[in-house]
Amino acid sequence: MAAELKVGGLTPFSATDYPGKLAAVVFVQGCPWRCGYCHNPHLQARTPEGVMPWRDVLTLLRRRVGLVDAVVFSGGEACMDPQLARAMLDVKQLGFQIGLHTACIYPQRLNEVLPLVDWVGFDIKAAFADYRSITRVAGSGNPARDCARAIIASGVAHECRTTIHRQLHSEEQLLALAATLANMGVQDYVLQAFRAEGCNDASLADDSMIGYPAAATLAQIGAMFPRFTFRNHAV
């Protein structure tokens, strides 16, 4: 049997995973990073068969034709799977637009699938030199930088996102990171406040996010980008 995408879950309908479109979301197993604020730790491992055969996903998606506009490949880290491009082609043949959520870990596979993608939401977790403090993996900022550059250069519509926590990012660090991303050419930037729900790291979950970051910091960051959003889950 030919290898198939290792599916970790499926959401048949979402209004929040692809801006302006209704989408189904395919969650792909596997991620080599161990970010403390991760809300999908059950997707970090790759099981021999996945939890759902890809052919069953396609059967469901065929029933969604005309009901949703797009299919988003998320994770885990979707680009970890060598069958990602093949799966995207399967979905594209059904007439869906293709979205991708990526943590910017695998530049080579990202470059392989970018020509198939209509929109990408990508995470930049911190200053590239400081990535280990978030991912717990040495050198992880290097592929993140390469992936960000590839996405920006591709011209594919994008949303760049940073999940923030007062223990992980000072306001000065947020301003410096925003300046770096603006200089790289990011057009649409989102800061999203840490959510305690579902987080396995009690040291992060016990810390209040109220009042962070300051309004003045948000205003300075917002002025750097054509489009800027602060998603505050703390209020």
Side-chain angles (χ1 to χ4, degrees):
M1 181 184 296
E4 292 187 338
L5 191 79
K6 289 192 176 177
V7 179
L10 176 69
T11 297
F13 179 86
S14 170
T16 59
D17 285 278
Y18 190 131
K21 297 190 181 297
L22 303 178
V25 184
V26 176
F27 293 92
V28 181
Q29 284 186 339
C31 183
W33 293 350
R34 295 296 180 264
C35 305
Y37 52 63
C38 180
H39 287 268
N40 290 325
H42 63 288
L43 292 173
Q44 291 173 351
R46 283 172 67 81
T47 62
E49 302 297 332
V51 302
M52 185 177 188
W54 177 240
R55 61 184 177 275
D56 291 353
V57 174
L58 287 175
T59 297
L60 184 145
L61 291 177
R62 290 187 186 100
R63 297 199 296 266
R64 309 302 289 174
V65 172
L67 300 177
V68 299
D69 309 302
V71 175
V72 176
F73 291 85
S74 189
E77 171 51 50
C79 290
M80 188 175 194
D81 199 302
Q83 300 305 316
L84 179 61
R86 178 182 170 187
M88 286 182 171
L89 285 169
D90 288 342
V91 169
K92 213 167 185 68
Q93 289 173 359
L94 296 177
F96 293 108
Q97 290 189 282
I98 305 295
L100 172 66
H101 292 170
T102 179
C104 293
I105 306 177
Y106 297 100
Q108 183 174 349
R109 188 155 295 130
L110 175 67
N111 279 302
E112 177 186 354
V113 302
L114 270 176
L116 305 174
V117 171
D118 299 290
W119 173 86
V120 56
F122 66 102
D123 298 336
I124 296 298
K125 299 177 181 297
F128 299 114
D130 297 335
Y131 248 62
R132 184 174 185 169
S133 66
I134 307 290
T135 67
R136 303 170 187 177
V137 175
S140 48
N142 297 325
R145 182 191 294 108
D146 292 343
C147 287
R149 287 174 173 164
I151 292 166
I152 294 163
S154 74
V156 173
H158 68 259
E159 177 183 277
C160 177
R161 306 177 290 217
T162 302
T163 298
I164 60 172
H165 192 289
R166 64 173 76 248
Q167 289 185 29
L168 303 175
H169 311 89
S170 70
E171 304 214 9
E172 292 76 12
Q173 288 173 323
L174 294 180
L175 288 166
L177 174 59
T180 295
L181 296 173
N183 288 334
M184 291 177 70
V186 168
Q187 297 293 300
D188 193 330
Y189 187 45
V190 176
L191 288 183
Q192 48 193 23
F194 163 84
R195 291 184 294 119
E197 296 82 8
C199 175
N200 286 336
D201 190 329
S203 67
L204 297 179
D206 290 344
D207 199 345
S208 171
M209 297 289 289
I210 301 298
Y212 166 84
T217 300
L218 293 174
Q220 291 180 68
I221 293 173
M224 299 181 195
F225 299 94
R227 293 174 296 280
F228 171 69
T229 305
F230 176 48
R231 294 180 185 146
N232 188 1
H233 306 293
V235 177

